[in-house]
Amino acid sequence: LFSQLMAQPIGILGGTFDPVHHGHLRLALEVFEALQLQEVRLIPAKNPPHRNTPVADSRHRSAMLQQAINGTRGLVIDERELHREGNSYTVDSVADIRAEAGDQPLCLIMGMDAFQALDTWHRWQQLTDFVHIVVVNRPGSDAEITQADIAALYTARKTGRIEDLNRRPAGYIFKIRLPMLDISSTRIRDLLQAQQNIRYLVPDDVLAYITKEQLYQ
Ligand code: ATP
Ligand code: MG
C-alpha cells in the first residue's frame, strides 16, 4: 500500500540531440520501462557551455526530436532550455523542475560518457540536491569511473536498490546496465558529411527532415 502511495519518478534526459538517434530513443525508453517512470522528458540544450556549439540550430534539433518521439507513450519534449537566455545549465533546469514537482522523485538520466565528464558541468556537486542520477552504460565508454572527485561523489551517493529512487525525491546515484546501441550523433554527422546513408541509425522521419532541410552537409 505504501509503495502505491508514492509518486513515480519523472525521468530527465538532456542532450544536444544533434541529431537525435535510436541510441537516445532506446535509452529513454529502456530507462522508462526499467524504472517504471511516470515519463521521460527529453530536454534539448540550446547552447551547452561544456562542448562545441551544436551544428544544427535549436529549432531544427527540437523539430527532429518531435518527429522522432511522434506520440510514443512516456516520452515528452521539454523546451525550457531553448526559451532561456544565455548558457544552458542542467543544474538550472533541474532546479526549475524540482520547484514544479514538489516532492516527486526526479531521475536525471545520462550515459557513462556524460557521467565521466560531470565535473566539467556548472555546479555539478549540487545536481543531487535536486535529482537522483541514473547512469547507463554506453558502448565505447569506460565502465570504471576514473576521475577522483566524481568517484567520491559516486561512492557517497550510490545505491544498488531501485526502490531508493522512489523513496526519496533526490540524492542517489544508480548505475544500471541496459542493452544500449552503439550510435552517436558525431558519427551520424560524419557519415552525412561523407555523403553516406544514415538510414536505420535514426527514425525515417528524422532522416526525411535532415534531407529536406539539407542539414549536416
Ligand atoms: P555527440 O556525438 O554529438 O556528443 P551523442 O550521440 O553523444 O552526440 P548527446 O546529445 O551528446 O548525443 O547525448 C545526450 C545523452 O544521451 C548523454 O547522456 C549520452 O551519454 C546519452 N547517449 C547518447 N547516445 C547514447 C547511446 N547510444 N547509448 C547510451 N547513451 C547514449
Ligand atoms: Mg555526446
Side-chain angles (χ1 to χ4, degrees):
L1 179 64
F2 182 53
S3 71
Q4 285 174 7
L5 291 174
M6 288 188 300
Q8 285 175 296
I10 295 172
I12 299 167
L13 175 60
T16 42
F17 304 110
D18 190 21
V20 63
H21 53 69
H22 283 134
H24 297 124
L25 297 163
R26 285 308 308 174
L27 169 63
L29 210 47
E30 293 275 357
V31 177
F32 172 70
E33 307 273 12
L35 303 186
Q36 298 188 39
L37 302 176
Q38 178 191 300
E39 63 187 24
V40 176
R41 296 195 189 166
L42 295 104
I43 307 189
K46 183 174 56 180
N47 183 17
H50 62 283
R51 53 177 291 156
N52 296 335
T53 309
V55 175
D57 80 34
S58 59
R59 178 177 58 90
H60 288 311
R61 291 183 288 110
S62 189
M64 289 187 282
L65 258 185
Q66 209 69 250
Q67 297 279 334
I69 286 171
N70 189 26
T72 302
R73 193 179 70 85
L75 305 187
V76 296
I77 300 173
D78 181 330
E79 293 194 323
R80 73 183 63 226
E81 293 192 2
L82 306 185
H83 302 136
R84 198 188 298 139
E85 287 306 309
N87 286 334
S88 311
Y89 293 123
T90 298
V91 70
D92 295 334
S93 297
V94 297
D96 284 357
I97 296 171
R98 167 54 64 212
E100 297 161 10
D103 283 343
Q104 185 169 2
L106 300 175
C107 292
L108 180 65
I109 302 160
M110 62 183 78
M112 191 43 130
D113 61 311
F115 189 68
Q116 297 275 18
L118 198 69
D119 60 335
T120 65
W121 294 23
H122 185 56
R123 290 170 57 208
W124 65 279
Q125 312 239 29
Q126 268 128 58
L127 287 167
T128 47
D129 295 346
F130 304 111
V131 292
H132 302 301
I133 299 177
V134 172
V135 185
V136 185
N137 53 294
R138 182 166 187 183
S141 177
D142 240 328
E144 293 314 307
I145 301 161
T146 46
Q147 218 284 330
D149 289 343
I150 299 173
L153 180 81
Y154 178 65
T155 303
R157 300 270 171 189
K158 72 177 168 183
T159 181
R161 287 193 305 257
I162 214 165
E163 319 87 73
D164 281 342
L165 303 176
N166 291 60
R167 236 195 296 272
R168 284 207 210 146
Y172 285 110
I173 301 178
F174 184 72
K175 250 206 243 181
I176 184 167
R177 280 203 75 80
L178 291 166
M180 286 290 115
L181 300 167
D182 191 0
I183 302 175
S184 72
S185 300
T186 298
R187 176 142 191 278
I188 290 167
R189 293 192 301 270
D190 289 347
L191 290 171
L192 287 164
Q193 282 262 303
Q195 326 268 359
Q196 294 184 34
N197 193 343
I198 62 159
R199 191 164 187 207
Y200 313 128
L201 295 174
V202 302
D204 281 349
D205 289 346
V206 171
L207 174 53
Y209 187 95
I210 288 170
T211 307
K212 177 168 68 87
E213 299 290 337
Q214 303 179 299
L215 302 178
Y216 309 110
Q217 296 193 347

